[in-house]
Amino acid sequence: MLSTAAMHGTGVPARPVRPRLRISATLVLAAGTALVLAGCSGPSGNVRVDAVDAGGDGTLRIGLMLDNTGKQSFLNSAQLAAAKLAVQEINAAGGHKGRPVELLPENISEDTTAQAKELVAAKADVVIGPTDSSRAPGAIDVLSRAKVAVISPANTAHGLTRYRSGGYYFRTSAADVAQAPVLVKLAKDSGARTIAILHEDGIYGKDVSVAVAAAAKAAGLGTVAEAAFTSGQAQQAAAAAKAAGPDAVVLVARAGAQGAIAELNNAGLAGSKLILSDGAINQYGSALGSKALEGARGILPGVFPSAHFQGELVAVDPGLKDMTFAAEAYDAVNLAAIAAAAAQDDAGSSIAAQLVGVSGQRGPGGVDKGTVQPCKSYKDCAGAIRAGNPADYDGESGPISFDSNGDITAANYMVFTYGADNRARMSGSERSARAGG
């Protein structure tokens, strides 16, 4: 389950791309909708490892699934601009087997099942999306049965790692649990030997808190308290943490984050003792007591987009003001086209069968030829394939390396530190070595 909001005023130096452009860092929040995995009707077998016969019609068609409306509608523009940019570059490099790649007309709707059926009817070979993890199952079921590859640039729910898709589902964003080792590292780097973990009730809070506890044990940190709370009811959990006397507190929350921070502040456990999960970080400002978060740290997934990439996206959409998931969507389109080039076929099954390999992952379904020099564009990767070499695409979001579940095996995170004004400013970056489940 995933919804996202832009984070403005991060303190990151402005990039001189276009006048009046405000670039936001990625901020992942959730709507709290449960992801239901039971009753999946995906196909049997696994196209990532099974033998696949060519079945394309010679034209690579890419569909885009935009499922953000209302307050989240701003997320559509970045993904659309990124997909258009990638297709433009792919076609400038010769397209697929000399024919232009087609980006199918987009339709914005929260009904991803209906969107999936429309894209199948339009002969999509691969679909980029959806954004919201809670809406992913309906889309995956329809598309995988139709043998259409699916690459989401934004799904983060841990439960999707083993969702039965017959090998057709991939994602260029990391699962929520990937942040756990980074949260623990921030605690350890500050000198903490013990931590308390407070998590908001729900799938996100439970999954990430369990992963944090495991990461703390692996790092040699003691977990002296683990407490759950419901939104607006964090006083008891904060009291339990205070009684345990931890060196640091990891807060895993989304909607209830502000109330939990206020209670932790009252208990003397906020400020520099506090480490926030990606769902808890926000620009709180005067919404919290003075200096409540001074010295606190938190993380957001992804990398801050380069000035060049920003400029390319704004050239596609001059009105673009947010770049959330742009890098992940751009990489998803490129990977799909590179996989088609490696297969010399545009069918969805052929693309899905090649995605692990062209992402650079070694092992079953991956690259087996010694050391491979990464390629950073469709043009370079297609050139490597024509020369008889395997492709290993490293994109705008960093190295991809899909595992056997279609998850990326490493993830980048931006580190933010709060000032006395309770506002976060980017202060560094970290990388999680194991992003999947």
Side-chain angles (χ1 to χ4, degrees):
M1 86 214 94
L2 180 79
S3 297
T4 311
M7 179 174 181
H8 295 288
T10 58
V12 181
R15 306 281 182 145
V17 179
R18 285 289 180 92
R20 301 174 64 84
L21 178 66
R22 295 181 67 195
I23 303 299
S24 69
T26 307
L27 173 59
V28 182
L29 303 172
T33 307
L35 175 65
V36 180
L37 298 181
C40 170
S41 55
S44 60
N46 189 339
V47 72
R48 297 177 194 139
V49 294
D50 295 343
V52 173
D53 294 327
D57 61 7
T59 299
L60 175 59
R61 297 180 183 88
I62 299 175
L64 191 60
M65 189 168 286
L66 302 176
D67 59 320
N68 299 286
T69 60
K71 292 181 179 180
Q72 305 301 323
S73 60
F74 71 90
L75 293 170
N76 298 324
S77 297
Q79 295 176 72
L80 178 57
K84 287 181 176 179
L85 173 62
V87 170
Q88 287 176 8
E89 292 176 349
I90 292 165
N91 286 336
H96 173 66
K97 299 177 72 172
R99 299 178 67 174
V101 172
E102 295 182 7
L103 183 62
L104 298 175
E106 72 278 3
N107 176 34
I108 299 172
S109 171
E110 292 183 356
D111 188 348
T112 55
T113 300
Q115 283 194 78
K117 292 176 180 177
E118 292 171 1
L119 290 167
V120 170
K123 299 183 178 180
D125 300 300
V126 60
V127 169
I128 310 303
T131 300
D132 195 313
S133 295
S134 68
R135 302 188 191 109
I140 296 170
D141 290 349
V142 171
L143 294 169
S144 62
R145 286 196 299 269
K147 298 184 178 181
V148 177
V150 188
I151 313 175
S152 172
N155 291 167
T156 63
H158 178 49
L160 288 170
T161 290
R162 291 178 177 83
Y163 193 84
R164 197 175 76 184
S165 72
Y168 283 92
Y169 176 69
F170 298 79
R171 48 183 170 177
T172 49
S173 56
D176 291 322
V177 296
Q179 66 188 291
V182 177
L183 295 171
V184 169
K185 183 177 185 298
L186 293 182
K188 191 169 185 177
D189 287 351
S190 69
R193 295 183 178 181
T194 60
I195 63 170
I197 306 169
L198 268 66
H199 77 269
E200 187 173 5
D201 282 341
I203 294 175
Y204 169 81
K206 181 179 179 181
D207 284 350
V208 177
S209 65
V210 168
V212 169
K217 182 178 181 180
L221 270 63
T223 300
V224 295
E226 295 183 59
F229 64 91
T230 58
S231 181
Q233 302 292 327
Q235 185 175 8
Q236 187 174 350
K242 180 180 180 179
D247 296 326
V249 178
V250 177
L251 175 62
V252 182
R254 282 174 166 160
Q258 182 174 315
I261 293 169
E263 294 293 353
L264 287 166
N265 187 41
N266 292 337
L269 292 176
S272 60
K273 284 182 175 287
L274 188 57
I275 298 168
L276 305 179
S277 71
D278 64 359
I281 192 170
N282 209 331
Q283 298 294 22
Y284 292 101
S286 60
L288 291 171
S290 177
K291 299 184 179 181
L293 284 173
E294 185 175 16
R297 287 155 297 152
I299 61 173
L300 295 175
V303 295
F304 198 78
S306 68
H308 173 75
F309 187 52
Q310 291 179 32
E312 293 293 304
L313 289 169
V314 173
V316 173
D317 180 359
L320 194 62
K321 292 181 172 62
D322 186 278
M323 296 195 177
T324 305
F325 301 131
E328 291 83 358
Y330 175 84
D331 288 345
V333 174
N334 275 307
L335 282 161
I338 294 165
Q344 283 296 292
D345 184 50
D346 54 274
S349 53
S350 297
I351 292 169
Q354 292 290 334
L355 278 169
V356 172
V358 299
S359 74
Q361 180 65 12
R362 274 56 173 174
V367 177
D368 294 316
K369 295 184 179 180
T371 301
V372 179
Q373 185 68 29
C375 45
K376 296 183 179 297
S377 69
Y378 171 81
K379 180 180 179 180
D380 289 346
C381 290
I385 292 168
R386 286 193 297 272
N389 299 316
D392 175 2
Y393 177 73
D394 285 356
E396 287 292 334
S397 63
I400 308 297
S401 297
F402 290 125
D403 66 11
S404 59
N405 294 312
D407 281 341
I408 57 175
T409 58
N412 293 302
Y413 290 88
M414 297 173 285
V415 179
F416 290 80
T417 301
Y418 282 84
D421 59 355
N422 297 328
R423 300 188 68 82
R425 295 165 179 82
M426 188 173 173
S427 56
S429 62
E430 294 287 349
R431 187 166 175 79
S432 172
R434 176 65 230 177

